């Protein structure tokens, strides 16, 4: 579904990503872990076309998104991304946040979009907040609305960029539950996270990154119980499972 | 077709030079007075005396919400009735100083507000009095933050100095306007006027930049 | 007091011209300034350079220079066009002052618009991009609404400046509020009362606007209603 070949990314002279190769199959749930600044978020933004890679190719269903001829907006309707800081639009209600893109990009009718919004809000347990503004929501609620906003475009793949790191433990639980439900529905997901417990329970594959490179990847059992590389061992030691 | 002929400017070069000197004199003196007055106002506004604060606030609102031209006319026409007569050029300097000081003190206050109140409390706790706290602790930090905004106030002052021509002071604007209208050499004179004002405001912008770079803003490095 | 009452007609007429000049140039400069600000914010280099040149030149010269330049260069043309036969709008002085104030203010508004646009966080723009919104949709639904609410205080203070700036149109002989006061005290020698009244009227208008702006700041998104 996603195929990344020799991807590198520089900011000025600083190397953020170095020669990344990765393939993601439909229905896979991948967690990206690593210390902050290791390039996980940048990798995610490259996949969504929000950052332009310095070199290398990214294919989404065999369409090269790094090519100039590709209509990024069209590809993006197939991908959803949820950010660490929610990034809800502060001047719109929850309903408007969710229905904006379906109406404007997918040209859905207003009624239909609102129906979808209500369905999704019910799924994340926030139907009563439909007419609230983002600043009236708690962090956990705002993040769940952000997830609903992405899901409203009916994406095939969901990307999560540290969705819980701005939240306290209680709210983290709420958001992770939403993610688990999504996983059970069979959504293809890439989750950048520091939540090792979540990674262990939900992911099919765990990828450790360090200094812009993929160090080790494996299924959760192998990854946690039988790490191959020294960096992985050190990392697991430091997060103190 | 209008043919540009810059020789008219050469013929008028003495007048132009004198006008430029008047503009420079008015701008420079007003800048100094306005800044000093603004610092005083900023200090007074920070005192825990509600009467002083009320009076300084009233001054700032009056100065900012009445056109400079009216303030200039009041000083020029009304003050003499109360025994305060100044030469036209001094009226201009006075009006510009009072007007600009109100704006500068607002800029300085926004700088003061951005300094953590703990700084002031710490200084007072060490036994410094309010003047020492202002002069040694809060003001030096505030001024570093607001230098770019301060620069644009001085640029406004230079442009506003052209209003002295309304009370018959022959500044550079007056020379340009009269020359353009009397000689029917509109484009030559206005091109020169534009270049002169761009030059003057450009110099202030450059100076502001140099000062900004040479003054380190403490405690700000990590935030970038 | 008698001098004021006896000449109240002239004062009212002057005030009307001041307000009309302010409102008309205000609206025009808002439209023009927004277009200029967008041009300078855009990625289209020639557009950017043209907008930046106009803005920077305009911002570095005094308004009076602008007014007399427009008056001296445009009045022959305006005199020939002569579209309005209205007593006020038809005068070359009013038309010149209107053009000068609109152009001058639009340069300042353009900078307010540009810094408002720049203040919208990249993360917000990224979120809008990620949802598949194109550049016009991003501007319309996300960037402009956020930017406008942030621009409001600066815009209001620009309009306060504009009202004060209309007084400079007296230099080309437009009998607006300041000039009407001047005419009266030149006749009656009652400078104190007349200038006090003129100052008071300007103060009430401008201070009122600044208080209104403070109210707006207290409810950041209250002014923007969205329907799509």
């Amino acid at each position: 579904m996603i195929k990344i070949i020799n991807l590198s990314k520089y900011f000025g002279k600083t190397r953020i990503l170095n020669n990344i190769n990765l393939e993601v199959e439909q229905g896979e749930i991948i967690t990206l872990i690593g210390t902050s600044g290791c390039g996980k978020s940048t990798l995610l933004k490259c996949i969504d076309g929000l950052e332009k890679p310095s070199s290398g190719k990214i294919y989404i269903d065999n369409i090269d998104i790094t090519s100039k001829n590709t209509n990024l907006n069209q590809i993006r309707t197939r991908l959803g991304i949820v950010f660490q800081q929610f990034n809800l639009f502060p001047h719109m209600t929850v309903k408007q946040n969710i229905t904006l893109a379906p109406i404007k990009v997918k040209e859905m009718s207003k009624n239909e979009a609102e129906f979808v919004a209500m369905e999704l809000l019910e799924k994340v347990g926030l139907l009563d907040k439909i007419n609230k503004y983002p600043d009236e929501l708690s962090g956990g609620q705002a993040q769940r609305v952000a997830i609903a906003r992405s899901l409203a475009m009916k994406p095939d793949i969901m990307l999560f960029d540290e969705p819980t790191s701005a939240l306290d433990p209680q709210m983290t639980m709420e958001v992770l539950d939403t993610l688990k439900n999504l996983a059970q529905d069979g959504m293809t997901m890439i989750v950048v996270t520091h939540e090792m417990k979540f990674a262990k329970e939900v992911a099919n594959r765990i990828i450790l990154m360090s200094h812009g490179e993929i160090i080790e990847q494996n299924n959760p059992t192998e990854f946690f119980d039988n790490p191959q590389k020294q960096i992985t061992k050190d990392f697991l030691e430091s997060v103190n499972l | 077709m209008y043919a540009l002929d810059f020789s008219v400017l050469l013929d008028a070069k003495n007048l132009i030079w004198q006008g430029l000197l008047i503009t420079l004199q008015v701008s420079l003196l007003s800048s100094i007075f306005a800044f000093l007055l603004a610092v005083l106002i900023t200090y007074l506004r920070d005192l825990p005396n509600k009467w002083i604060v009320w009076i300084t606030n009233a001054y700032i609102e009056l100065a900012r919400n009445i056109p400079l031209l009216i303030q200039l006319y009041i000083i020029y026409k009304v003050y003499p009735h109360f025994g305060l007569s100044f030469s036209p050029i001094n009226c201009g300097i006075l009006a510009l100083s009072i007007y600009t000081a109100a704006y500068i003190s607002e800029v300085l206050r926004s700088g003061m507000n951005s300094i953590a109140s703990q700084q002031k409390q710490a200084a007072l706790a060490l036994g410094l009095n309010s003047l020492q706290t202002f002069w040694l602790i809060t003001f030096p930090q505030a001024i570093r933050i607001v230098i770019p905004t301060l620069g644009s106030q001085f640029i406004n002052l230079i442009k506003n100095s052209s209003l002295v021509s309304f009370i018959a002071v022959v500044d550079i604007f007056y020379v340009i306007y009269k020359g353009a209208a009397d000689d029917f050499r509109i484009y030559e004179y206005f091109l020169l006027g534009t270049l002169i004002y761009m030059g003057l405001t450009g110099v202030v912008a450059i100076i502001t930049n140099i000062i900004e770079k040479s003054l380190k803003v403490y405690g700000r490095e990590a935030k970038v | 007091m008698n001098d004021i009452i006896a000449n109240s007609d002239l004062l009212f007429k002057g005030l009307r011209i001041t307000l009309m000049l302010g409102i008309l140039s205000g609206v025009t400069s808002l439209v023009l300034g927004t277009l200029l600000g967008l041009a300078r914010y855009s990625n289209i280099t020639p557009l950017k350079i043209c907008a930046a040149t106009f803005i920077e030149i305009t911002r570095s010269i005094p308004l009076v220079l602008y007014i007399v330049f427009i008056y001296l260069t445009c009045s022959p043309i305006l005199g020939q066009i002569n579209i309005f036969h209205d007593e006020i709008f038809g005068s070359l002085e009013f038309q010149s002052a209107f053009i000068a104030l609109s152009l001058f203010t639009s340069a300042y508004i353009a900078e307010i618009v540009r810094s408002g646009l720049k203040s919208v966080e990249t993360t917000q723009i990224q979120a809008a991009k990620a949802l598949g919104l194109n550049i016009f949709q991003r501007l319309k639904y996300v960037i402009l609404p956020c930017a406008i609410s942030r621009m409001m205080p600066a815009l209001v203070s620009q309009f306060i400046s504009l009202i004060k700036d209309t007084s400079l149109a007296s230099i080309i002989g437009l009998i607006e509020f300041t000039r009407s006061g001047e005419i009266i005290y030149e006749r009656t020698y009652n400078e104190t009362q007349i200038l006090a009244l003129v100052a008071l009227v300007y103060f009430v208008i401008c201070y009122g606007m600044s208080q209104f702006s403070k109210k707006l700041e207290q409810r950041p998104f209250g002014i923007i209603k969205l329907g799509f």
Side-chain angles (χ1 to χ4, degrees):
Chain A
M1 216 168 189
I2 303 177
K3 192 172 187 182
I4 300 172
I5 301 165
N6 296 335
L7 178 73
S8 292
K9 170 77 184 169
Y10 291 80
F11 283 126
K13 281 186 176 157
T14 324
R15 191 175 64 198
I16 307 293
L17 294 174
N18 184 25
N19 210 18
I20 301 277
N21 287 288
L22 180 66
E23 259 185 80
V24 182
E25 299 300 326
Q26 175 143 18
E28 253 197 307
I29 295 155
I30 293 180
T31 55
L32 270 176
I33 59 175
T35 49
S36 44
C38 71
K40 341 180 267 284
S41 294
T42 309
L43 177 59
L44 219 55
K45 285 183 179 168
C46 283
I47 296 174
D48 203 25
L50 293 172
E51 299 281 1
K52 282 208 164 31
S54 307
S55 63
K57 296 267 178 231
I58 300 170
Y59 295 93
I60 310 259
D61 277 346
N62 297 323
I63 301 167
D64 178 9
I65 68 157
T66 54
S67 151
K68 271 192 179 153
N69 303 323
T70 309
N71 183 349
L72 265 181
N73 283 338
Q74 218 161 33
I75 300 293
R76 281 190 186 125
T77 60
R78 309 197 40 210
L79 293 158
I81 186 165
V82 172
F83 303 91
Q84 182 179 350
Q85 293 296 343
F86 334 133
N87 295 336
L88 293 177
F89 304 128
H91 56 294
M92 295 183 190
T93 60
V94 166
K95 183 167 77 183
Q96 288 172 323
N97 261 286
I98 298 174
T99 56
L100 175 70
I103 295 175
K104 293 300 160 190
V105 182
K106 287 213 156 164
E107 289 170 356
M108 217 182 256
S109 77
K110 200 175 164 180
N111 282 337
E112 197 184 343
E114 283 179 4
F115 181 75
V116 172
M118 280 157 72
E119 237 179 17
L120 287 169
L121 281 173
E122 186 154 28
K123 202 168 173 182
V124 297
L126 290 173
L127 193 52
D128 54 324
K129 305 289 182 199
I130 188 158
N131 288 316
K132 298 274 185 226
Y133 281 89
D135 62 1
E136 298 169 295
L137 304 175
S138 74
Q141 291 168 342
Q143 192 60 297
R144 283 183 283 157
V145 171
I147 293 170
R149 179 173 74 177
S150 290
L151 290 175
M153 295 298 282
K154 304 215 178 347
D156 305 322
I157 304 159
M158 283 290 286
L159 311 171
F160 293 88
D161 185 7
E162 302 195 24
T164 60
S165 53
L167 304 175
D168 66 29
Q170 173 58 37
M171 295 175 185
T172 301
M173 288 289 292
E174 297 168 12
V175 171
L176 291 183
D177 280 343
T178 308
L179 259 62
K180 280 178 199 163
N181 288 338
L182 266 181
Q184 277 159 15
D185 292 350
M187 177 69 78
T188 311
M189 289 161 60
I190 304 180
V191 186
V192 170
T193 188
H194 293 291
E195 295 292 329
M196 293 305 139
K197 207 164 150 264
F198 171 81
K200 207 170 188 172
E201 277 177 37
V202 184
N204 312 128
R205 179 154 44 127
I206 297 180
I207 298 176
L208 177 76
M209 284 182 67
S210 177
H211 295 101
E213 291 178 38
I214 292 179
I215 303 297
E216 182 164 351
Q217 45 180 317
N218 218 327
N219 63 55
T221 336
E222 281 295 302
F223 185 89
F224 285 105
D225 299 343
N226 189 17
Q228 303 295 311
K229 301 265 173 56
Q230 190 54 41
I231 299 179
T232 316
K233 287 175 191 161
D234 293 344
F235 179 80
L236 291 175
E237 192 102 328
S238 72
V239 295
N240 203 4
L241 224 51
Chain B
M1 192 60 202
Y2 187 95
L4 288 173
D5 175 11
F6 288 99
S7 65
V8 286
L9 297 179
L10 275 178
D11 297 340
K13 67 173 187 296
N14 285 337
L15 263 178
I16 293 169
W17 180 242
Q18 279 163 14
L20 185 59
L21 284 182
I22 293 286
T23 292
L24 283 174
Q25 185 194 345
V26 171
S27 304
L28 204 62
L29 288 174
S30 309
S31 296
I32 294 167
F33 292 141
F35 185 68
L36 294 178
L37 184 58
V39 173
L40 176 69
I41 296 292
T42 311
Y43 169 65
L44 292 175
R45 274 177 119 182
D46 213 29
L47 291 178
N49 178 324
K50 68 173 181 188
W51 286 108
I52 294 178
V53 173
W54 194 88
I55 290 169
T56 53
N57 282 341
Y59 153 69
I60 286 169
E61 293 300 343
L62 284 171
R64 279 161 33 108
N65 288 303
I66 295 172
L68 173 58
L69 184 59
I70 303 294
Q71 298 187 40
L72 187 66
Y73 283 162
I74 288 175
I75 291 172
Y76 185 56
K77 296 278 187 185
V78 177
Y79 279 24
H81 290 307
F82 299 92
L84 288 164
S85 289
F86 304 103
S87 68
I89 195 166
N90 286 343
C91 284
I93 293 169
L94 191 59
L96 279 166
S97 306
I98 291 173
Y99 184 80
T100 312
Y103 283 90
I104 294 182
S105 73
E106 282 290 272
V107 173
L108 291 177
R109 188 174 71 149
S110 75
M112 295 284 282
N113 286 346
S114 70
I115 305 293
S117 59
Q118 288 93 319
Q119 287 283 317
K120 191 171 156 186
Q121 288 161 3
L124 292 171
L126 285 172
L128 300 181
N129 65 33
S130 67
L131 187 60
Q132 289 167 323
T133 304
F134 175 77
W135 196 244
L136 298 172
I137 309 296
T138 46
F139 183 68
Q141 296 184 56
I143 189 113
R144 286 175 166 89
I145 296 170
V146 298
I147 278 170
T149 338
L150 219 48
S152 69
Q153 292 302 332
F154 290 117
I155 287 174
N156 285 341
L157 189 147
I158 292 177
K159 292 185 283 175
N160 285 335
S161 74
S162 56
L163 266 63
V164 295
S165 59
F166 281 76
I167 53 171
V169 176
V170 185
D171 74 329
I172 187 66
F173 166 69
Y174 193 93
V175 173
I176 299 283
Y177 180 29
K178 281 290 160 214
D182 296 348
D183 297 352
F184 287 109
R185 285 283 152 200
I186 302 170
Y187 294 97
E188 291 86 344
Y189 273 102
F190 278 100
L191 193 60
L192 177 73
T194 304
L195 289 177
I196 287 176
Y197 278 106
M198 282 182 83
L200 291 177
T201 54
V203 168
V204 176
I206 291 168
I207 293 174
T208 313
N209 242 322
I210 293 171
I211 296 177
E212 194 192 353
K213 277 191 187 131
S214 66
L215 288 178
K216 209 173 111 195
V217 177
Y218 294 98
R220 283 255 158 161
E221 294 91 326
K223 271 194 171 170
V224 182
Chain C
M1 248 345 242
N2 288 334
D3 293 330
I4 293 174
I5 295 164
N7 293 293
S8 59
D9 278 0
L10 183 55
L11 282 170
F12 271 117
K13 209 177 145 196
L15 184 58
R16 221 178 105 210
I17 294 185
T18 288
L19 292 177
M20 277 203 290
L21 187 57
I23 293 166
L24 282 179
S25 352
V27 173
T28 313
S29 59
L30 188 63
V31 175
L32 215 56
T34 307
L35 293 176
L36 277 168
L38 282 171
R40 201 174 179 184
Y41 175 77
S42 75
N43 289 327
I44 308 160
T45 313
L47 212 59
K48 216 172 163 164
I49 291 172
C50 289
T53 312
F54 171 76
I55 292 167
E56 289 308 324
I57 290 179
T58 303
R59 280 162 48 93
S60 62
I61 60 179
L63 175 57
V64 273
L65 196 71
Y66 224 82
I67 294 176
V68 295
F69 177 70
I70 298 283
Y71 181 61
L72 292 176
T73 53
C74 291
S75 51
I77 309 163
L78 291 171
Q80 277 179 356
I81 303 171
N82 194 18
I83 19 171
F84 298 105
H85 296 287
D86 185 271
E87 189 197 350
I88 296 168
F89 299 124
S91 85
L92 296 181
E93 289 78 18
F94 186 89
Q95 292 173 2
S96 306
F98 163 72
I99 295 172
L101 282 167
S102 302
L103 289 177
F104 185 81
T105 306
S106 70
Y108 287 81
I109 289 182
E111 282 302 274
I112 295 173
V113 169
R114 186 172 70 118
S115 64
L117 292 172
K118 273 168 68 184
S119 80
V120 178
E121 295 81 0
T122 36
T123 52
Q124 284 277 318
I125 299 170
Q126 281 188 342
K129 271 188 195 169
L131 288 172
L133 299 177
N134 66 34
I135 174 73
F136 299 108
Q137 292 169 330
R138 292 201 292 273
L139 271 173
K140 185 170 168 199
Y141 297 109
V142 178
I143 302 173
L144 279 177
C146 285
I148 286 169
S149 65
R150 277 172 212 177
M151 279 153 29
M152 277 319 281
L155 280 180
V156 174
S157 75
Q158 197 57 52
F159 286 122
I160 293 173
S161 293
L162 176 61
I163 293 286
K164 293 194 291 171
D165 285 344
T166 57
S167 63
L168 302 184
S170 59
I171 198 168
I172 54 171
L174 179 67
I175 305 175
E176 40 64 71
F177 194 45
T178 302
R179 183 75 193 119
S180 66
E182 231 181 326
I183 290 171
I184 295 165
Y185 71 66
E186 275 163 6
R187 223 155 46 195
T188 62
Y189 300 104
N190 192 348
E191 289 99 350
T192 311
Q193 282 185 15
I194 296 192
L195 279 172
L197 176 80
V198 172
L200 180 71
V201 171
Y202 276 115
F203 179 79
V204 169
I205 297 170
C206 297
Y207 185 71
M209 283 170 76
S210 74
Q211 292 309 102
F212 173 69
S213 149
K214 272 185 193 153
K215 282 253 164 63
L216 282 184
E217 270 175 82
Q218 284 157 10
R219 31 170 215 164
F221 293 109
I223 42 156
I224 297 163
K225 275 221 173 91
L226 264 168
F228 51 77

